[in-house]
Amino acid sequence: MLIPLRPGELQRLIPAVATGNQFRVSLGNPREVLQRLMIAAIGGVITLLISQSQMSSRWGPFWLVAGVVFLLYVLWGPILQAGQRNATLRRYPAAALFEGEVADVITRERVENRHEQADSRGRLELVENRRTWMLLELEDEEGYLGRVAFPMEKKHQSIRRGSLIRCLVLSERKDFSKIGALSDAWLPGLRMWVGEYPFLLRPAFEELCQRRLTSRR
């Protein structure tokens, strides 16, 4: 079942500015955090040193501000990234609330990253870091809708075929004849959220589901 959103509801459900939960996800793994710290430290130190040598010129304040911006990159980098991800869904002209069920549950191994390391004989070998992902196929009375994929955790083992599931459906077309994207999803029977990235303001989405779906019944 698809229930089109009213004007302004999509923007209230997916914020333009990153939430705390979105910031934590966008911060990334320890390796990505370390990369940001290195960029912030190197860029900040270099620009601050330049600003010290240029304090007597009109460019001194500019380099000082640039140095501070670099030093804060570890904070504003994830915020900017989250805002960009939110914008990918906020741009769609048509959005609808979906209620259906899990048609199938699939698990797959995905390669997270590859790197070379020396073995006991000193020879380089390729090492792959893999992670198990869960893929949920969604459908309703009209048929197949799409797929939600996310890194699998122990709590996700309770998800079964037929589980009730709700999410947002985004499309370029008002009739939703072609689906552009799906948001993260809510399984009310399990009180569980799933998805690779937390697009939705979750309490607001749960409240919307209760209000709009109850009025339909």
Side-chain angles (χ1 to χ4, degrees), residues 56-120:
S56 58
S57 72
R58 63 177 181 174
W59 294 105
F62 167 79
W63 287 110
L64 180 61
V65 172
V68 173
V69 170
F70 264 113
L71 290 173
L72 294 177
Y73 173 68
V74 70
L75 295 178
W76 63 258
I79 294 174
L80 178 63
Q81 182 180 345
Q84 291 172 336
R85 294 190 73 169
N86 291 353
T88 61
L89 264 60
R90 286 169 58 91
R91 70 174 181 82
Y92 281 97
L97 170 62
F98 168 79
E99 182 180 65
E101 65 179 31
V102 177
D104 199 5
V105 180
I106 305 167
T107 57
R108 289 181 181 171
E109 293 289 320
R110 290 190 182 182
V111 177
E112 295 283 296
N113 57 69
R114 296 182 175 92
H115 65 276
E116 290 184 338
Q117 71 177 32
D119 61 14
S120 58

Side-chain angles (χ1 to χ4, degrees), residues 18 27 51 57 62 66 73 79 93 109-110 122 177 194 214 216-217:
L27 196 58
S51 72
S57 72
F62 167 79
Y73 173 68
I79 294 174
E109 293 289 320
R110 290 190 182 182
S177 57
V194 295
T214 301
R216 286 259 175 166
R217 292 167 180 160

Side-chain angles (χ1 to χ4, degrees), residues 40-57:
I42 295 172
V45 169
I46 291 175
T47 51
L48 287 176
L49 288 175
I50 294 174
S51 72
Q52 290 296 316
S53 63
Q54 298 287 326
M55 285 304 293
S56 58
S57 72

Side-chain angles (χ1 to χ4, degrees), residues 135-155:
L135 294 80
L136 303 182
E137 305 280 358
L138 310 187
E139 68 176 11
D140 60 6
E141 62 274 6
E142 296 183 2
Y144 177 78
L145 176 78
R147 173 184 291 174
V148 175
F150 49 91
M152 185 176 178
E153 299 177 12
K154 188 175 181 179
K155 64 181 181 180

